[in-house]
Amino acid sequence: MFKKILIANRGEIAVRVIRACKEMGVQTVAVYSTADANALHVQLADEAYCIGGPRPQDSYLNEDAILTVAVASGATAIHPGYGFLSENAGFARRCRECGVVFVGPSPEVIERMGDKDAARRCAKEAGVPIVPGCDLLKSAEEAEREAERIGCPVLIKARAGGGGRGIRKVERAQDAGKAFTEAHAEAEAAFGDGECYMEKFVAPAHHVEVQVLADAHGNVVTLGERECSVQRRNQKLLEESPAPCLEGRDDIRERMYEAARNLARAVGYEGAGTIEYLYADDGNFYFMEMNTRLQVEHPVTEFVTDIDLVKWQLRVAAGVEFPYAQDEIMPAKRSHAIECRINAEGPAPDYRPSCGTIHSMHVPNGPWVRFDSSLYPGAVVPPYYDSMLGKLIVRAGTREEAIRKMRSALTELIIDGVDANTELQLDILSNPEFLSGIYHTNLMEHLYED
Ligand code: ADP
Ligand code: ADP
Ligand code: MG
């Protein structure tokens, strides 16, 4: 195992990784921006170094500064968390050149899967069903022709997109050209890569994703699935496992798992990763993308499998063999887990991002109630980063009980000083469609219809 690692991230995920390291006897090195001088991850780490100003480009994306700290402090591995450099193949390559282990798959695999268009082709080659669509679009005229062929509605998607960004819906083929030109410019500005492809808009559909873990010894296992259909602007808000839409459909579930393992094997995957699918009620599922990193919603999987994903990421990166066979992993036979993302934002319809200083707070507790966050009284929520304040996760014997437990926990949660979306989460948890267990990615569009 590593003696010392650097955590190239901030917020709740940096705290999550530092805690895992402490339990494993691994020393931790934090890096932080000037806006985060008093942040919890800085206080909890054994060492902490300021690497630049508040803007991500100056600090958490500052590869030179991060690598310099890693080498100078004697850290032998870097955990990138999610977001920031976690899916940056160039950074993973530079780590390798500096003799530092990047906790994640190889730069080659990140590159292949990070290009969503190339990933689609990989999936197809590995026998995983993909959404009907086309490869990279070369012109507005081609976009219109393809939209006509595929059949509207379609989505134009940036191959470099992520975090729900770089996606545009087209309702009529004659609008596809204009949408393509706009999407191209938008993706160029946001990701430095304007290339776009097209997919059929599958609706109504569920977002169901499968957790994969692969070690350096050829073992590839799946750790159950998560349903992430509660989304606003293609961003997840609430996740649960097992997926209620797969209730009684173990045959389909098994096929999804097997396809995920096949794809991971086909690309030589190592580490923790997620295969995202769209699942339609007719029983068909389609590969959407692979995230080559730890997922925000990983605690849901930890709750139903009793496997600590961060510790296994570190062990696998250090060359340890994963000891459990697929049939020894028992996802979700008698348990149900739900996660609510607690975002710093005002109420509907604007959901205005909020920032400020936490005056006081109260966090719910009890068996199988977990709050992953970096908040404490006095903590500052700066305006420069993601608006997620933390994640509330519960586990219970049934979905119904887990929902009641989450409601009770949300009602107890007090965060004084910034706006938080607890009321929105409570509204979702009492929505009849959500309660029925059969809800789709459009749930949020009719949450407040009445
Ligand atoms: P998950 O897929 O784990 O649920 P999200 O899609 O919510 O994760 O993204 C996790 C974090 O990573 C968010 O802060 C999001 O803004 C960021 N992120 C993901 N992909 C990208 C990307 N390509 N560019 C910039 N930020 C990204
Ligand atoms: P990101 O990298 O931003 O996470 P994804 O490809 O995973 O992008 O898509 C984000 C979300 O957009 C999905 O969870 C889903 O709700 C929606 N989406 C993406 N592709 C399609 C599609 N072909 N049909 C319908 N919805 C889609
Ligand atoms: Mg996605």
Side-chain angles (χ1 to χ4, degrees):
M1 185 41 61
F2 308 112
K3 271 211 179 69
K4 192 191 263 192
I5 77 160
L6 183 148
I7 297 95
N9 216 299
R10 65 179 301 282
E12 68 90 17
I13 197 59
V15 170
R16 165 77 184 88
V17 175
I18 291 169
R19 285 180 178 149
C21 289
K22 285 183 187 244
E23 290 170 34
M24 297 175 89
V26 176
Q27 285 176 26
T28 50
V29 180
V31 290
Y32 62 96
S33 75
T34 49
D36 279 337
N38 297 313
L40 190 60
H41 77 281
V42 175
Q43 299 185 41
L44 293 184
D46 297 309
E47 300 166 46
Y49 301 92
C50 183
I51 49 167
R55 292 188 320 156
Q57 306 90 286
D58 298 333
S59 47
Y60 300 105
L61 292 174
N62 186 339
E63 300 181 19
D64 289 330
I66 291 169
L67 285 166
T68 302
V69 171
V71 171
S73 66
T76 52
I78 294 183
H79 193 303
Y82 54 70
F84 295 126
L85 296 168
S86 63
E87 294 178 274
N88 186 317
F91 180 68
R93 197 165 277 128
R94 288 188 70 188
C95 287
R96 187 154 75 187
E97 285 159 11
C98 292
V100 174
V101 174
F102 177 83
V103 178
S106 69
E108 292 74 25
V109 170
I110 299 175
E111 211 145 60
R112 197 116 69 96
M113 290 321 214
D115 175 343
K116 298 170 78 168
D117 167 66
R120 257 169 72 83
R121 285 194 297 271
C122 278
K124 196 174 170 193
E125 274 165 34
V128 183
I130 58 172
V131 184
C134 68
D135 294 344
L136 292 183
L137 295 162
K138 280 170 229 69
S139 67
E141 293 72 41
E142 190 188 357
E144 283 174 30
R145 268 199 317 277
E146 287 295 337
E148 189 69 51
R149 182 185 64 83
I150 297 163
C152 282
V154 295
L155 292 182
I156 295 178
K157 297 173 74 170
R159 74 164 169 194
R165 284 153 59 230
I167 300 177
R168 201 169 272 251
K169 191 172 167 187
V170 178
E171 302 281 359
R172 303 179 313 169
Q174 65 260 43
D175 300 334
K178 184 165 172 278
F180 165 75
T181 309
E182 288 168 6
H184 198 282
E186 216 173 87
E188 184 67 52
F191 312 110
D193 177 350
E195 298 294 328
C196 293
Y197 61 105
M198 190 181 285
E199 273 181 8
K200 174 109 188 140
F201 181 69
V202 183
H206 306 267
H207 174 122
V208 175
E209 58 184 36
V210 173
Q211 178 68 52
V212 174
L213 185 68
D215 67 14
H217 305 269
N219 299 301
V220 179
V221 295
T222 45
L223 301 173
E225 83 281 2
R226 297 179 288 256
E227 168 134 20
C228 313
S229 301
V230 182
Q231 304 182 350
R232 192 177 70 227
R233 284 184 247 108
N234 303 319
Q235 263 279 11
K236 300 160 188 167
L237 279 170
L238 178 154
E239 301 94 348
E240 60 181 322
S241 182
C245 63
L246 292 178
E247 167 99 52
R249 310 300 301 267
D250 283 347
D251 50 329
I252 294 168
R253 184 180 265 130
E254 213 30 73
R255 289 208 327 263
M256 283 180 161
Y257 294 173
E258 204 189 328
R261 291 190 294 264
N262 287 345
L263 179 53
R265 268 197 209 98
V267 298
Y269 201 82
E270 262 178 49
T274 296
I275 313 276
E276 297 189 335
Y277 297 112
L278 282 170
Y279 170 64
D281 291 318
D282 62 8
N284 283 310
F285 65 88
Y286 308 93
F287 170 83
M288 201 160 37
E289 67 159 340
M290 177 166 199
N291 291 323
T292 56
R293 55 169 164 89
L294 187 68
Q295 206 94 352
V296 174
E297 57 275 22
H298 74 279
V300 163
T301 298
E302 297 184 325
F303 262 8
V304 294
T305 59
D306 288 332
I307 285 169
D308 187 314
L309 278 167
V310 174
K311 286 185 188 167
W312 276 108
Q313 276 191 302
L314 294 172
R315 290 191 190 114
V316 160
V320 176
E321 184 167 3
F322 189 68
Y324 309 115
Q326 186 65 58
D327 59 9
E328 290 176 283
I329 298 160
M330 284 297 195
K333 279 292 176 239
R334 288 181 323 278
S335 63
H336 195 96
I338 304 179
E339 170 182 282
C340 285
R341 297 194 188 194
I342 307 300
N343 294 333
E345 62 185 29
D350 306 328
Y351 305 106
R352 258 239 306 255
S354 173
C355 54
T357 301
I358 307 299
H359 304 309
S360 63
M361 60 188 287
H362 171 76
V363 174
N365 213 321
W368 299 111
V369 176
R370 169 171 164 185
F371 187 56
D372 277 22
S373 102
S374 57
L375 299 185
Y376 62 90
V380 174
V381 179
Y384 311 103
Y385 312 107
D386 197 84
S387 64
M388 200 178 74
L389 293 169
K391 306 171 320 204
L392 189 54
I393 311 104
V394 302
R395 167 183 159 172
T398 63
R399 181 168 191 258
E400 291 65 39
E401 198 182 329
I403 290 172
R404 283 199 295 273
K405 192 167 187 151
M406 181 60 89
R407 275 203 210 115
S408 152
L410 280 168
T411 314
E412 251 192 69
L413 178 68
I414 297 172
I415 298 171
D416 208 6
V418 293
D419 291 330
N421 64 342
T422 42
E423 287 302 324
L424 174 74
Q425 293 287 10
L426 283 165
D427 289 340
I428 294 167
L429 290 163
S430 55
N431 173 272
E433 228 174 293
F434 177 78
L435 293 175
S436 78
I438 305 300
Y439 58 95
H440 303 92
T441 52
N442 62 2
L443 176 78
M444 293 300 293
E445 287 163 31
H446 25 97
L447 185 73
Y448 291 127
E449 233 161 35
D450 311 327

